[in-house]
Amino acid sequence: MNKEDLLKLLNNLDEENEIVLPKKHDRVLLIDGLNLFFRNFAMLNFVNEEGLHVGGLGGFIRSLGTLINQIQPTSIYVVFDGQGSATNRKNINSDYKSNRNIRRITNWQVFNSLEEENEAKINQIVRLIHYLKCLPVKVVSLPKVEADDIIAHLSKKLESKYNSKVFIVSSDKDFIQLVTKNIIVYRPIEKDFYTQETVKEKFGIPAKNFILYKTLLGDSSDMIKGIKGLGEKGILKKFPELTEKELDLDGIFSICENKFKEHVTYARVIQSIDELEKNYTIMDLANPMLDDKEKLFLDNLIKDKTPKLNENAFLKFYHEDGLRHLIKNIEYWLTSNFKDIISE
């Protein structure tokens, strides 16, 4: 072997053994903060030594560790609804989320009144934000903006500009419309990751058609009405086109105009065009309800440095709140879970 061939061989070995270091935007975890908090609050009736319910707080922190172990993110965002977050959508449909004020107690075993439970929720959310600010996590909230809109914008920007693999954590099905090759939705209620293949398997349609699926069926949890008589079992029989190709709302209207004599469902769609267009706008996360200033703020947030871990402050809160052994070996939990989060 001559000198030139030897140098080529050594260069090839160097390239093969080169270590590719992860970048901050490689794997991004976007958490719907209130969604995950309320799920833990309802499920975990943990009371500390002072008799205070801390299930939502402790459960969220424990869930965060589980998510980090599962997803191995390089950066994390926890997103909360801003004050008056439903305002923009209520201006389009006054019934939007009007059922959210129904007065009922979630945990009868722990609380004596609705007021007592609501106070516990607020106190735990405020305290949770204190904990999160001790971690290498970006906490996001904007006045009059829903978490859905912030998460939608961040996920699309991270995917398009940074080629990130994005994991959205929420039990809200609205996020399914955002699923792409690089955007995955994890639904804690099912403990399932929704990829393009999962959406096709579970609903029989491409992920981009999910917004049409929801618009036609409506969303009772948000008080958005669908087409009368149309349900999950019948929608693909009436609209098989949803399974075949990506459509838009005008495409649905065209199908109904051509078939309105075949079934009353098609006629009802034509009669409800204005209402369906409003509902589509409300649920369309491809066009989040953000102004240019809010978009710029979020774009800059992506560029900002990730906060550093403040282990001492976190542990101080943890012991003050009497979370005790809710998380085993909390010191190790902190260092092991957040060691790979990149702060540059």
Side-chain angles (χ1 to χ4, degrees):
M1 180 181 293
N2 59 38
K3 183 178 180 181
E4 186 176 336
D5 290 337
L6 178 59
L7 288 172
K8 279 184 181 179
L9 177 61
L10 292 173
N11 284 335
N12 288 336
L13 285 172
D14 287 341
E15 289 174 4
E16 288 174 7
N17 294 325
E18 186 179 354
I19 298 173
V20 179
L21 295 174
K23 297 177 182 177
K24 182 168 72 171
H25 305 302
D26 283 356
R27 294 174 68 83
V28 182
L29 178 58
L30 299 179
I31 299 175
D32 183 350
L34 287 182
N35 186 279
L36 187 61
F37 171 82
F38 285 130
R39 175 172 168 76
N40 278 289
F41 186 92
M43 292 184 63
L44 192 60
N45 290 330
F46 183 79
V47 178
N48 66 14
E49 291 176 348
E50 295 180 6
L52 297 175
H53 181 276
V54 288
L57 172 63
F60 187 104
I61 295 168
R62 194 165 65 178
S63 294
L64 178 59
T66 301
L67 290 167
I68 291 170
N69 281 319
Q70 285 180 303
I71 294 169
Q72 298 293 306
T74 52
S75 60
I76 303 169
Y77 297 73
V78 180
V79 185
F80 292 94
D81 292 333
Q83 187 173 5
S85 59
T87 301
N88 291 328
R89 287 177 169 84
K90 280 184 176 292
N91 288 336
I92 299 172
N93 182 345
S94 59
D95 290 332
Y96 179 69
K97 289 190 175 180
S98 59
N99 57 339
R100 298 295 175 95
N101 292 322
I102 295 173
R103 299 176 67 81
R104 61 172 179 263
I105 296 177
T106 304
N107 289 315
W108 287 100
Q109 307 98 314
V110 181
F111 301 105
N112 296 316
S113 68
L114 183 67
E115 289 71 23
E116 184 183 338
E117 183 178 69
N118 286 339
E119 185 179 358
K121 287 178 183 176
I122 293 168
N123 290 340
Q124 288 182 57
I125 291 169
V126 171
R127 191 63 162 173
L128 172 61
I129 292 172
H130 291 162
Y131 277 84
L132 291 173
K133 287 187 175 180
C134 298
L135 301 175
V137 169
K138 293 181 180 180
V139 182
V140 195
S141 181
L142 292 171
K144 295 185 179 180
V145 176
E146 293 197 38
D148 298 31
D149 296 305
I150 296 173
I151 290 171
H153 181 80
L154 288 173
S155 64
K156 289 296 183 183
K157 178 63 71 171
L158 285 160
E159 179 190 37
S160 62
K161 186 170 182 178
Y162 301 96
N163 196 32
S164 303
K165 196 81 169 178
V166 179
F167 297 84
I168 298 171
V169 177
S170 179
S171 296
D172 188 342
K173 284 185 178 179
D174 287 345
F175 289 115
I176 292 173
Q177 64 185 280
L178 297 175
V179 169
T180 65
K181 181 178 70 173
N182 286 321
I183 299 177
I184 295 167
V185 174
Y186 177 72
R187 302 192 71 233
I189 198 168
E190 297 179 45
K191 296 183 179 178
D192 202 357
F193 288 90
Y194 275 64
T195 62
Q196 290 176 310
E197 293 73 25
T198 312
V199 176
K200 184 71 174 176
E201 179 186 334
K202 288 182 179 285
F203 297 100
I205 58 175
K208 284 192 176 179
N209 282 350
F210 191 77
I211 175 66
L212 297 171
Y213 183 92
K214 284 288 296 285
T215 300
L216 291 167
L217 292 180
D219 187 343
S220 59
S221 67
D222 286 338
M223 289 294 285
I224 296 175
K225 294 179 182 178
I227 297 300
K228 184 179 179 181
L230 189 63
E232 290 183 3
K233 291 184 179 180
I235 187 171
L236 298 186
K237 293 178 182 177
K238 297 293 188 300
F239 297 96
E241 297 87 351
L242 285 171
T243 69
E244 299 162 2
K245 58 183 178 181
E246 292 180 3
L247 296 170
D248 57 21
L249 197 55
D250 287 336
I252 293 294
F253 295 153
S254 295
I255 291 167
C256 293
E257 286 170 359
N258 293 330
K259 294 183 176 181
F260 78 97
K261 291 183 179 179
E262 295 181 19
H263 196 278
V264 68
T265 295
Y266 303 119
R268 285 173 177 161
V269 170
I270 298 302
Q271 291 167 356
S272 306
I273 284 178
D274 289 345
E275 196 67 27
L276 289 171
E277 286 178 339
K278 289 179 182 179
N279 292 344
Y280 184 92
T281 300
I282 286 172
M283 293 192 279
D284 182 16
L285 293 181
N287 296 288
M289 292 188 181
L290 297 164
D291 61 30
D292 290 341
K293 187 177 179 181
E294 290 160 344
K295 290 177 183 178
L296 180 61
F297 171 82
L298 295 173
D299 294 346
N300 288 332
L301 180 69
I302 294 173
K303 299 174 188 175
D304 289 347
K305 286 187 176 182
T306 302
K308 292 186 177 180
L309 173 63
N310 187 340
E311 185 176 349
N312 290 335
F314 186 97
L315 291 173
K316 180 175 178 289
F317 292 147
Y318 187 84
H319 295 305
E320 284 177 355
D321 293 331
L323 298 181
R324 302 194 309 277
H325 303 302
L326 193 63
I327 298 173
K328 292 181 179 179
N329 196 344
I330 185 63
E331 292 83 359
Y332 175 76
W333 180 92
L334 274 173
T335 54
S336 63
N337 279 318
F338 295 99
K339 68 181 188 308
D340 294 326
I341 304 300
I342 299 169
S343 60
E344 288 75 18

